[in-house]
Amino acid sequence: MRELQQENTQLHEAVRSHAVVDQAIGVVIATGRLRPEQGWNALVGVSQHTNIKLRHVAELVVEWARTGHLASDVRAELEQQLDRAHAPRPRG
């Protein structure tokens, strides 16, 4: 019974985390006028370059959309990621 309760708790957390990441992707694609895959890549880039777990970056971005406040290091990296997403790709 305890194992089932743990698994249920983990599944609920996974669903919640997924929802927050999806919301953050929406914020990023609306803010940066990006395609969904570019929004995902931007969030991953912020996570990797700030050494903050993706779920937490997503929570920060959703909170930013609500309050207008975003930590300066996360904001700077997000701006860099948006710039990268808009940079022209070299033709090969």
Side-chain angles (χ1 to χ4, degrees):
M1 184 69 155
R2 184 175 292 170
E3 286 180 32
L4 287 175
Q5 287 175 331
Q6 273 185 315
E7 185 176 338
N8 189 32
T9 300
Q10 290 171 349
L11 289 172
H12 280 285
E13 180 60 28
V15 168
R16 188 187 76 75
S17 292
H18 187 53
V20 171
V21 171
D22 285 346
Q23 290 170 11
I25 291 170
V27 170
V28 172
I29 64 175
T31 301
R33 298 180 182 165
L34 305 175
R35 294 184 312 274
E37 67 274 7
Q38 290 174 304
W40 164 257
N41 291 337
L43 283 179
V44 169
V46 171
S47 175
Q48 290 175 342
H49 289 97
T50 60
N51 201 26
I52 300 172
K53 289 185 181 262
L54 180 65
R55 181 190 71 237
H56 188 61
V57 168
E59 290 169 348
L60 294 172
V61 168
V62 170
E63 182 71 11
W64 169 55
R66 192 175 68 74
T67 66
H69 300 292
L70 186 62
S72 60
D73 60 333
V74 176
R75 179 184 299 268
E77 187 56 42
L78 180 57
E79 288 172 359
Q80 287 184 356
Q81 293 297 322
L82 295 177
D83 288 345
R84 284 186 191 118
H86 288 288
R89 296 191 184 253
R91 294 180 183 235

